Amino acid sequence: MPEILDIQQLAEAGKLTIAIIGGTGDLGSGLAKAWSRSGHRIVIGSRSPERAAELVQGLGNAQALSYAQAAAQGDVIVLAVPFGSHEQALDEIREGAEGKIVIDAVVPLVPPRVATVQLPAEGSAAQIAQRILGPESRVASAFHNVGASKLHLGERVDCDVLVFSDDKEARDVVIKLASQVASRGVDGGPLANSAAAEALTSVLIGLNRRYKVSAAGIHITGLDGDSTDRRDLKK
Amino acid sequence: MPEILDIQQLAEAGKLTIAIIGGTGDLGSGLAKAWSRSGHRIVIGSRSPERAAELVQGLGNAQALSYAQAAAQGDVIVLAVPFGSHEQALDEIREGAEGKIVIDAVVPLVPPRVATVQLPAEGSAAQIAQRILGPESRVASAFHNVGASKLHLGERVDCDVLVFSDDKEARDVVIKLASQVASRGVDGGPLANSAAAEALTSVLIGLNRRYKVSAAGIHITGLDGDSTDRRDLKK
């Protein structure tokens, strides 16, 4: 009899179907490549069928669909659209996202001043996602501070990924997925705390300009072990 | 003839008078000890004359005064009061702070849920400070993520200090002061970006609990040099 794996085990084993909404964007396609290398099946939700087809061809075990169809296919859904498309994308995936972990990676940047923190009145993009998707979805947020360039080069990103959710198991799943693309996932607590990582993105964009670098990131100091997720260490 | 130093040179040389408002608190007294070791003259602004007198005795070149008197004495003023006393303290120091660099280190924690981000409607404590002090003061913000315990032990804190201000020279002065107490100061951009570091404090408090550590902090990765302030490296 085949062993039945729970969602945390599937995440760790690289056996999830991950729907990436906005999957042809810079971050979305970078995450798609990284998780594809970890073995996951990727479903790209896109409004650009040609770019999506091209991306999917390079990934192997992957397909390209509409936002709604991709969400319906995913075990886990990742939202990586520009902030200007955030609410509409959430509306479109709502039905397909019921009962699922939805990882909001959207940063509330307000062009042209993207290096200035301008958080939404609701507190954070993640809290907007929870309002629109409702309590049926297990909303998490993460990957705000991950520069996509290294993902496209096939490297892990030298940046800790702060993971937020009011759902503890969702945080644990996302922490495992984060450790496959970046230094490690770190349990940042409740969804309301997403404001910290979302705001930090504008700071990092500004640091890239002022310090003339391309991929400023963050590392959390003072955690036990200090190079990987504690929960992984305990095994 | 004695050389006349500008405020950046005084900061670097340890020759400022630094007024610390709320200077008997955990962070305030930790900063007082650290900057005193760097040679600065410390003026403690306090509502606890006995604790202030005791602290000042251990510092050497220091004195204890009221908030308003301390502000009037300082070349630079540091605000390290609880968020609940923030607005009143700002009112009291306003006159003494005119024309000066005021470093707001106040984090908008709302007890009892201090590990949950609850930013004020105005965006950040720093923006509240700028509104109350007006354009006559050069408001900066910093030291939100610095755990005071190491300062009390006489050690530098293993944490980068994000520094925010709309006044570039104020940022440069605070970056120099930060490098005397912690890993380094990092130029975080405009005052509005203070929301990122203020929010991060609640995340770090939560990390200390969840990971059972005492001094979670942050390090900015990907900056040139990566162990000290770039501006220092250029010399």
Side-chain angles (χ1 to χ4, degrees), chain B residues 29 47 57 103 105 114 123 126 137 205 232:
Chain B
S29 59
R47 298 206 201 287
Q57 215 164 22
I103 309 170
V114 295
S137 288
I205 292 170
D232 290 338

Side-chain angles (χ1 to χ4, degrees), chain B residues 160-180:
Chain B
D160 282 344
V161 174
L162 286 166
V163 176
F164 310 97
S165 179
D166 296 334
D167 178 322
K168 173 76 167 65
E169 191 188 48
R171 292 203 301 262
D172 287 340
V173 167
V174 181
I175 285 169
K176 290 186 197 310
L177 292 176
S179 68
Q180 293 164 359

